[in-house]
Amino acid sequence: MAYKRTDAVAARLAQTRRQILKAARELVAEGGFNSAQVTEVAKKSGFATGTLYRYFTSKEDLCRQVFREVSTKEMNFLSTIAQGSGAPLERLEKVLRTFADRAVRGRRLAFALLSEPVDVHLAEERARFRQTHASIFAGLLDEAVEAGDIEPLNTAIAAAAMAGAVPTALIGPLAPQSHLLDADPARTVDEIVHFCLAAIGADTTAIQPAIKNEQRFIA
Amino acid sequence: MAYKRTDAVAARLAQTRRQILKAARELVAEGGFNSAQVTEVAKKSGFATGTLYRYFTSKEDLCRQVFREVSTKEMNFLSTIAQGSGAPLERLEKVLRTFADRAVRGRRLAFALLSEPVDVHLAEERARFRQTHASIFAGLLDEAVEAGDIEPLNTAIAAAAMAGAVPTALIGPLAPQSHLLDADPARTVDEIVHFCLAAIGADTTAIQPAIKNEQRFIA
DNA sequence: TCAGAAAATGAAAGCAGATTCATGATCCCA
DNA sequence: TGGGATCATGAATCTGCTTTCATTTTCTGA
């Protein structure tokens, strides 16, 4: 026993792991999970394929990590807004708008997370992602009902409907090759947000113009 | 040249083709496209795998046919309702309700058509399916706007949002193993329909109770 | 500096399917 | 009824990946 992992080595290992994840993430952001083949990730990260398997038990494992990393970032982002101050419906509007807005701007990545055809395992991860969106929406709807800002309704169902409506309304436009949205993305986002708010009986007369900062899905 | 295909033979060939499609369709209705492996379809239909390739150029081809057959039936169904008589919004409500209702009742097949993870080719087919739903919705929305029943809006976007909202709101419940919906499916459908109609500013006070006939996605 | 231990490598093996194709069965018409 | 044509068969092959693992390289503490 003449070997004990040094801090320096541990750091390097961690670094390697990060590099692999980064390479995979970038490939996903460019061409979806489809492009994240083991060989490609290896090449891009600068390590051998065998090496990847010292850090991840399988390709599936690697992809799941990537999905989680990226989606967690998005969810935290929305979650923070949801927990902010202001009337529940104002926060809901901001969350919806931010969601749609970031998806449009980070189109390729959003496509990968939301609608690219993927295998069952990633599909599960995606379902969780959607479910989390729905939870955030549902929480705000509950608050709004509680506050008497909207009529009582089944918030779980309404939230799920929103979680489906937003991405789908963007999907054609979200597909990598599509440029339908380039004309007037802000207007489209406005319409979608309006749709969701009206659906729950919220007053939509005061909907603000699109967000100005250039937020987007980021790899 | 001592062979010319007889009518009898042609009929048998057509019959075989139908049998293969039927076997595939049934497998899909039971376990999704995942279960429609060439070997399985062959076994179920009673023909050899090689035979399938005399009728379909590839597995992909076969699956696409199945998807089209089934989805076309659904779309025609909705389309007929959409072209019926009555106020546009009444027809829209009926279309939405029928869509949701049939999906709930023909859960497994609906899952396969709407949210099962599938490869790129079927995903394209699915996109078309969604797009058709959206077109039907959009047509009715246009009529409603035209008739002055609702305020003008971007009907394409609203329609796409509905096409996403309905399946997603059902999805947890739609997944084959889920039984969330068994408690009170009609109520859930009501909520979803209400959501969509409210979203476009339709008067929802007169929403009728659930449809009575036992319509469903049929293989 | 060296021996033992971990880490990295990438060519080869594995894998789960779809797809092919040589062979045998069936069919048609002269 | 026979020979040429189509049809059906299913074991063997092909395919595009992921995954393994014997070998090489790097690291550690004595």
Side-chain angles (χ1 to χ4, degrees):
Chain A
M1 49 144 183
Y3 182 92
K4 181 150 176 289
R5 190 182 283 178
T6 301
D7 281 0
V9 170
R12 180 167 56 76
L13 295 186
Q15 164 74 354
T16 297
R17 192 188 153 88
R18 260 179 272 118
Q19 285 179 304
I20 295 171
L21 277 170
K22 181 175 175 230
R25 212 191 314 133
E26 289 175 358
L27 284 172
V28 170
E30 287 163 24
F33 284 96
N34 215 298
S35 314
Q37 286 164 210
V38 177
T39 318
E40 293 304 306
V41 176
K43 196 188 301 175
K44 178 139 191 165
S45 67
F47 296 97
T49 59
T51 305
L52 306 210
Y53 284 84
R54 296 185 56 73
Y55 291 84
F56 303 90
T57 65
S58 64
K59 178 204 149 120
E60 180 202 319
D61 180 33
L62 170 58
C63 283
R64 195 180 15 239
Q65 299 296 335
V66 170
F67 195 105
R68 285 193 180 158
E69 258 191 28
V70 182
S71 66
T72 299
K73 186 182 299 183
E74 291 302 318
M75 298 190 291
N76 288 342
F77 204 93
L78 298 185
S79 196
T80 300
I81 294 176
Q83 287 162 4
S85 61
L89 289 181
E90 275 169 22
R91 278 175 282 145
L92 177 60
E93 186 200 328
K94 195 163 178 198
V95 166
L96 288 168
R97 186 182 295 284
T98 303
F99 178 25
D101 213 53
R102 286 174 65 88
V104 170
R105 294 186 205 275
R107 197 171 303 189
R108 306 188 89 84
L109 188 56
F111 176 71
L113 290 185
L114 296 168
S115 53
E116 182 193 1
V118 294
D119 69 52
V120 267
H121 302 98
L122 277 188
E124 267 174 37
E125 213 58 50
R126 175 181 289 166
R128 244 188 295 283
F129 185 43
R130 282 244 165 109
Q131 184 50 49
T132 304
H133 285 141
S135 302
I136 293 175
F137 299 155
L140 290 169
L141 288 175
D142 285 336
E143 282 192 56
V145 169
E146 181 76 18
D149 295 341
I150 54 175
E151 291 300 308
L153 77 169
N154 186 321
T155 54
I157 294 178
M162 289 182 189
V166 177
T168 306
L170 292 171
I171 263 179
L174 224 51
Q177 74 290 5
S178 167
H179 292 282
L180 290 180
L181 222 53
D182 289 336
D184 194 352
R187 186 99 199 85
T188 303
V189 171
D190 279 344
E191 283 276 357
I192 295 173
V193 172
H194 183 279
F195 179 95
C196 290
L197 293 178
I200 55 163
D203 177 15
T204 58
T205 53
I207 283 194
Q208 298 299 313
I211 289 173
K212 283 295 169 268
N213 21 347
E214 301 252 325
Q215 304 168 344
R216 63 196 172 88
F217 275 41
I218 295 168
Chain B
M1 47 135 185
Y3 182 92
K4 182 149 176 291
R5 190 182 284 177
T6 300
D7 280 358
V9 171
R12 179 168 57 75
L13 294 187
Q15 164 75 353
T16 297
R17 192 189 152 88
R18 260 180 273 118
Q19 285 179 304
I20 295 171
L21 277 170
K22 181 173 175 233
R25 211 192 315 133
E26 288 175 358
L27 284 171
V28 169
E30 287 162 24
F33 284 95
N34 216 300
S35 313
Q37 285 164 211
V38 177
T39 318
E40 294 303 307
V41 175
K43 196 188 301 173
K44 179 141 191 164
S45 67
F47 296 96
T49 59
T51 305
L52 305 211
Y53 284 84
R54 296 184 56 72
Y55 292 83
F56 302 91
T57 65
S58 64
K59 178 206 150 118
E60 179 201 320
D61 180 32
L62 170 57
C63 283
R64 195 182 14 242
Q65 298 297 334
V66 170
F67 195 107
R68 284 193 181 158
E69 257 190 28
V70 183
S71 66
T72 299
K73 187 181 299 180
E74 290 304 317
M75 298 190 292
N76 287 343
F77 205 94
L78 298 186
S79 197
T80 300
I81 295 176
Q83 287 161 5
S85 61
L89 289 182
E90 276 169 21
R91 277 175 282 144
L92 177 60
E93 187 200 327
K94 194 163 179 199
V95 166
L96 287 168
R97 186 181 295 285
T98 304
F99 177 26
D101 213 53
R102 286 175 66 87
V104 170
R105 294 187 204 275
R107 198 170 304 187
R108 305 188 90 84
L109 189 55
F111 176 72
L113 291 185
L114 296 168
S115 54
E116 180 193 2
V118 294
D119 69 52
V120 267
H121 302 97
L122 277 188
E124 266 174 36
E125 214 56 52
R126 176 181 288 166
R128 242 189 296 282
F129 185 42
R130 283 244 166 109
Q131 183 51 48
T132 304
H133 286 141
S135 301
I136 293 175
F137 300 155
L140 290 170
L141 289 176
D142 284 336
E143 283 191 55
V145 169
E146 181 76 18
D149 296 340
I150 54 175
E151 291 300 308
L153 78 169
N154 186 322
T155 55
I157 294 178
M162 289 183 189
V166 178
T168 306
L170 292 171
I171 263 179
L174 225 50
Q177 74 291 4
S178 168
H179 292 281
L180 290 179
L181 221 54
D182 289 336
D184 193 352
R187 185 99 199 83
T188 303
V189 171
D190 279 344
E191 283 277 355
I192 295 173
V193 172
H194 183 280
F195 179 94
C196 289
L197 293 178
I200 54 163
D203 177 14
T204 59
T205 53
I207 283 192
Q208 299 298 314
I211 289 173
K212 283 295 167 268
N213 23 346
E214 300 251 325
Q215 303 168 344
R216 62 196 173 85
F217 274 43
I218 296 168

